């Protein structure tokens, strides 16, 4: 694991999960079901939790949604799913928490957006009401500022001050300050109302990578609240993955961040779990945490005109991830294992020897055999039509004999 210095923030307990205070960086996600549909929401929460999401946020935007929350929590517990559930509130959260006390009690954390908690004179009383509910039910709160819904009163105030300067700053710089100040002022107000620092998590999310990095660097330097990281509206596919990885990796390498969410736009019909997997892989490839055995495989070249090694790498990677919910409970440390699936003799044997277990498949024109290496030593040479099945069995046997039960 990485030895980079981590900023120690105030620890917050969200359900059974520790956030901040030097605890491992937590991966979280969010459902996209209609929360009023209890069955669909429960099923998706379980799917996300099984994939490795350590906290799951749900939309609570209507009376029907608020009325469903307690039933959702009950059904999750009945199915032995104890992942903390976060209520995402905008505009009417104060009313819903007041009218549905079962919802307020069942949630493990409330998410409040200062820009959407109320307008004008209604803002402070409605924010106060939500904080008072958090105190009453002993719940932590994430004060989440978003660039797209920034509290305009804070921005207007800073713009007025900026105009008085001899050399006014650009609008983008003022907006960055407004985002950070909105979070800090809201947190200070929450503490004045009785919410402890150990109940507050802050986030300041926008969709521009460089702006996000700058904002969190400023925020982290000015407070020791636990921080949630995320590039909001990251996008779809490789764009969303790359931009999220670029932004969050820079911040985490500086020791900034206690929880992360990868806000991918899912492709039509695709599983919501993709964002969980990406979050885990960012943390694991950077050496911050380990979640599932990692597959090392080559990109292929003119020596690998067959797609056999590509299919084997995909099959092994899928197999390892699918088995992890079971292995996690049975084999301590299995998540740190590395498996190499290589496509030719150039780097194949070397990479296979460096992994816990590896296979070097024959490239174009090479002898049709596949040596397997375990802990640097060749143990068997596979050949024939069942190399994939035989290698998978070897991987399973390796796990059973090398990791404690």
């Amino acid at each position: 694991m990485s030895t980079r210095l981590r900023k120690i923030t105030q620890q917050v307990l969200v359900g059974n999960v520790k956030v901040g205070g030097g605890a491992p960086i937590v991966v979280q996600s969010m459902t996209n079901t209609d929360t009023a549909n209890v069955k669909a929401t429960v099923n998706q929460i379980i799917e996300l939790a099984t994939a490795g999401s350590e906290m799951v946020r749900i939309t609570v935007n209507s009376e029907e949604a608020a009325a469903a929350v307690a039933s959702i929590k009950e059904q999750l517990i009945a199915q032995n799913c104890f992942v903390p559930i976060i209520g995402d509130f905008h505009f009417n959260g104060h009313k819903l928490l007041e009218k549905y006390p079962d919802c307020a009690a069942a949630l493990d954390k409330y998410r409040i957006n200062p820009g959407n908690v109320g307008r004008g004179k209604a803002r402070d009383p409605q924010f106060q009401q939500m904080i008072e509910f958090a105190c009453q039910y002993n719940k932590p709160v994430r004060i989440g500022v978003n660039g797209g819904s920034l509290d305009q009163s804070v921005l207007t105030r800073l713009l007025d001050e900026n105009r008085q300067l001899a050399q006014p700053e650009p609008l983008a710089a003022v907006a960055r300050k407004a985002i950070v100040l909105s979070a800090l002022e809201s947190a200070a107000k929450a503490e004045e109302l009785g919410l402890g620092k150990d109940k507050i998590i802050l986030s300041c999310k926008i969709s521009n990578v460089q702006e996000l990095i700058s904002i969190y660097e400023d925020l982290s330097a000015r407070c020791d609240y636990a921080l949630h990281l995320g590039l909001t509206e990251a996008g779809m596919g490789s764009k969303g993955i790359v931009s999220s990885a670029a932004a969050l990796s820079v911040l985490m390498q500086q020791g900034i961040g206690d929880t992360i969410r990868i806000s991918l736009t899912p492709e039509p019909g695709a599983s919501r779990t993709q964002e969980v997997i990406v979050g885990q892989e960012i943390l694991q490839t950077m050496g911050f945490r380990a979640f599932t055995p990692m597959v090392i495989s080559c990109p292929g070249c003119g020596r690998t005109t067959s797609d056999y090694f590509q299919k084997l790498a995909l099959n092994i990677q899928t197999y390892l991830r699918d088995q992890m919910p079971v292995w996690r409970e049975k084999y301590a440390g299995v998540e740190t294992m590395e498996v190499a699936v290589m496509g030719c003799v150039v780097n194949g044997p070397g990479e296979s020897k460096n992994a816990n277990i590896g296979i070097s498949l024959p490239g174009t024109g090479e002898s049709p055999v596949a040596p397997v290496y375990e802990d640097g030593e060749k143990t068997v040479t596979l050949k024939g039509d069942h190399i994939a099945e035989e290698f998978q069995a070897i991987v399973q046997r390796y796990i059973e004999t090398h990791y404690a039960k």
Side-chain angles (χ1 to χ4, degrees):
M1 295 296 99
S2 172
T3 58
R4 86 3 176 158
L5 292 176
R6 176 102 174 271
K7 178 174 179 178
I8 303 301
T9 55
Q10 174 66 54
Q11 188 164 96
V12 180
L13 189 63
V14 181
N16 57 1
V17 175
K18 294 177 181 178
V19 176
I25 299 170
V26 175
V27 176
Q28 64 175 276
S29 57
M30 185 175 184
T31 60
N32 61 357
T33 57
D34 179 356
T35 305
N37 186 334
V38 174
K39 181 178 180 181
T41 303
V42 167
N43 288 343
Q44 191 172 74
I45 291 172
I46 291 174
E47 181 184 25
L48 290 167
T50 301
S53 183
E54 294 160 301
M55 295 192 287
V56 178
R57 185 155 47 110
I58 61 175
T59 298
V60 187
N61 61 333
S62 65
E63 293 197 13
E64 293 78 10
V69 170
S71 294
I72 290 169
K73 191 66 176 286
E74 289 171 3
Q75 291 194 27
L76 289 170
I77 293 172
Q79 297 184 58
N80 293 315
C81 180
F82 301 100
V83 64
I85 304 303
I86 302 161
D88 190 63
F89 294 101
H90 297 274
F91 309 112
N92 59 352
H94 60 294
K95 294 180 180 178
L96 297 176
L97 289 172
E98 180 178 30
K99 188 169 183 178
Y100 296 92
D102 287 348
C103 168
L107 291 168
D108 294 288
K109 185 175 77 171
Y110 308 154
R111 190 274 183 157
I112 303 173
N113 183 337
N116 290 338
V117 76
R119 303 292 184 186
K121 294 181 180 179
R123 180 194 180 281
D124 287 346
Q126 291 174 190
F127 179 82
Q128 177 174 337
Q129 194 172 356
M130 294 197 71
I131 296 301
E132 287 172 348
F133 283 123
C135 293
Q136 177 183 343
Y137 292 98
N138 195 30
K139 305 294 183 181
V141 169
R142 171 157 73 93
I143 297 174
V145 179
N146 276 57
S149 51
L150 175 61
D151 185 346
Q152 293 302 302
S153 65
V154 176
L155 179 59
T156 299
R157 187 176 86 229
L158 292 188
L159 286 173
D160 288 343
E161 294 174 0
N162 188 58
R163 278 191 285 269
Q164 306 304 315
L165 298 176
Q167 293 183 322
E169 294 183 292
L171 175 59
V174 178
R176 288 196 301 270
K177 288 184 178 180
I179 290 171
V180 172
L181 195 60
S182 177
L184 293 174
E185 289 184 347
S186 296
K189 182 65 175 178
E191 287 199 64
E192 288 176 16
L193 294 169
L195 192 66
K197 183 173 283 189
D198 64 340
K199 298 290 184 185
I200 298 173
I201 299 172
L202 299 185
S203 68
C204 293
K205 299 168 75 173
I206 59 173
S207 56
N208 180 282
V209 171
Q210 295 291 355
E211 295 283 294
L212 186 87
I213 293 169
S214 178
I215 285 169
Y216 271 99
E217 288 173 341
D218 184 18
L219 179 64
S220 177
R222 297 176 64 178
C223 74
D224 63 352
Y225 294 109
L227 300 182
H228 168 69
L229 304 185
L231 188 77
T232 192
E233 297 101 28
M236 181 179 286
S238 61
K239 184 270 178 187
I241 293 170
V242 170
S243 56
S244 294
L248 272 57
S249 297
V250 169
L251 291 168
M252 291 189 293
Q253 191 64 30
Q254 297 181 65
I256 298 171
D258 300 294
T259 79
I260 65 170
R261 187 207 170 187
I262 310 302
S263 300
L264 296 181
T265 303
E267 296 181 9
S271 172
R272 189 73 163 177
T273 59
Q274 178 68 8
E275 67 176 46
V276 179
I277 293 170
V278 171
Q280 290 180 330
E281 290 182 345
I282 291 172
L283 290 174
Q284 188 154 353
T285 54
M286 294 192 70
F288 297 150
R289 291 188 65 183
F291 296 94
T292 190
M294 296 291 281
V295 175
I296 301 164
S297 59
C298 64
C301 65
R303 292 175 177 269
T304 56
T305 53
S306 166
D307 64 359
Y308 188 85
F309 89 94
Q310 299 165 352
K311 292 177 179 177
L312 180 57
L314 177 60
N315 289 342
I316 289 295
Q317 184 165 283
T318 302
Y319 171 72
L320 294 173
R321 185 165 287 282
D322 288 347
Q323 294 299 311
M324 270 308 294
V326 176
W327 289 346
R328 192 179 295 119
E329 304 300 323
K330 293 181 66 176
Y331 304 111
V334 67
E335 68 276 3
T336 65
M337 185 176 72
E338 289 188 348
V339 180
V341 180
M342 304 301 292
C344 80
V345 74
V346 173
N347 291 319
E351 291 287 357
S352 297
K353 289 177 183 178
N354 289 332
N356 294 100
I357 182 169
I359 186 170
S360 180
L361 295 162
T364 304
E366 294 176 11
S367 177
V369 296
V372 175
Y373 299 84
E374 298 180 39
D375 298 322
E377 300 293 332
K378 186 167 75 170
T379 56
V380 67
T381 299
L382 304 179
K383 63 178 94 175
D385 298 327
H386 302 287
I387 290 177
E389 295 87 344
E390 291 173 5
F391 182 64
Q392 184 170 299
I394 292 170
V395 171
Q396 176 68 45
R397 186 168 64 248
Y398 183 93
I399 290 169
E400 290 172 353
T401 56
H402 285 71
Y403 294 95
K405 294 185 178 179

